[in-house]
């Protein structure tokens, strides 16, 4: 066993214990924290050699990575209305599917070129304006104004289908 392998073998239990202790407060998985510290250790060994006091270095590195993860979690926010790292419930999946069906049905009822344009814009492949204009056989410059008119039409259609809230938010 090489000295590097021996060092890694002796530090493995300590790293696992330290990561398990620090991960919950950092909002990160213990395995992710371990992986980050292993990477940091291997980079350190490659550049400067093994740390003089590996156990102390490892504890400091775990805490530093945990602090970094906490700072990142403060800056990184999920999109509004979307759960972060959660499996959607059957009820929320059904509601999302119903919203999509309602939107697609409204898109099909729009006049003129709007159904094709809006369907292209809602496509999961997220095509560019150039691709949409090519597929529809219109100029790229007219796509923006046409999109604006179609979205306005769609907005009016959907607003007419949703009853306005009454007194204290009650729907009549």
């Amino acid at each position: 066993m090489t000295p590097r392998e021996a060092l890694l073998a002796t530090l493995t239990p300590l790293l696992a214990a330290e990561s398990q202790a620090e991960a919950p407060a950092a909002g990160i998985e213990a395995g992710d924290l371990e992986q980050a510290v292993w990477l940091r250790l291997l980079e350190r060994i490659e550049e400067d050699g093994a740390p003089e006091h590996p156990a102390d270095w490892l504890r400091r590195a775990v805490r530093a990575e945990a602090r970094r993860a906490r700072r990142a979690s403060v800056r990184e926010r999920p999109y509004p209305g979307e759960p972060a790292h959660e499996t959607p419930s059957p009820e929320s999946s059904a509601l999302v599917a119903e919203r999509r069906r309602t939107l697609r049905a409204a898109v099909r009822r729009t006049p003129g070129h709007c159904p094709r344009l809006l369907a292209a814009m809602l496509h999961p492949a997220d095509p560019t304006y150039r691709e949409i204009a090519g597929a529809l056989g219109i100029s790229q410059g007219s796509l923006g104004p046409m999109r604006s008119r179609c979205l306005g039409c769609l907005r009016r259609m959907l607003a007419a289908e949703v009853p306005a809230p009454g007194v204290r938010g009650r729907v009549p």
Side-chain angles (χ1 to χ4, degrees):
M1 184 181 284
T2 67
R4 182 178 179 179
E5 290 170 344
L7 175 67
L8 296 178
T10 58
L11 292 178
T12 298
L14 177 62
L15 178 57
E18 290 289 327
S19 297
Q20 287 290 334
E22 291 290 330
I28 188 173
E29 301 250 345
D32 292 340
L33 189 55
E34 278 185 58
Q35 186 176 12
V37 174
W38 278 132
L39 181 62
R40 198 183 240 199
L41 177 62
L42 292 174
E43 288 171 346
R44 160 79 193 247
I45 289 173
E46 218 172 85
E47 291 176 11
D48 303 326
E52 191 172 324
H53 302 285
D56 293 336
W57 181 92
L58 186 113
R59 287 184 186 99
R60 284 192 309 273
V62 168
R63 286 175 183 81
E65 284 298 321
R67 279 192 306 274
R68 185 200 56 74
R70 276 192 296 276
R71 282 193 307 268
S73 70
V74 168
R75 289 188 308 264
E76 298 170 355
R77 297 282 181 224
Y79 285 115
E82 294 207 13
H85 305 294
E86 293 179 16
T87 304
S89 68
E91 294 84 8
S92 65
S93 296
L95 289 173
V96 167
E98 180 60 29
R99 272 188 241 132
R100 285 188 183 135
R101 277 193 297 276
T102 303
L103 178 62
R104 298 262 182 215
V107 164
R108 284 191 299 273
R109 292 191 319 265
T110 55
H113 293 291
C114 291
R116 288 182 55 213
L117 171 67
L118 293 172
M121 297 191 106
L122 289 170
H123 194 274
D126 196 24
T128 64
Y129 265 35
R130 179 178 295 172
E131 294 167 341
I132 293 171
L136 298 178
I138 60 175
S139 72
Q140 191 174 343
S142 65
L143 194 57
M146 183 185 217
R147 173 187 152 267
S148 181
R149 285 190 302 273
C150 291
L151 287 175
C153 182
L154 182 64
R155 191 176 302 115
R156 286 187 298 276
M157 288 173 64
L158 290 173
E161 291 178 8
V162 177
V167 178
R168 296 188 185 141
R170 293 186 181 147
V171 177

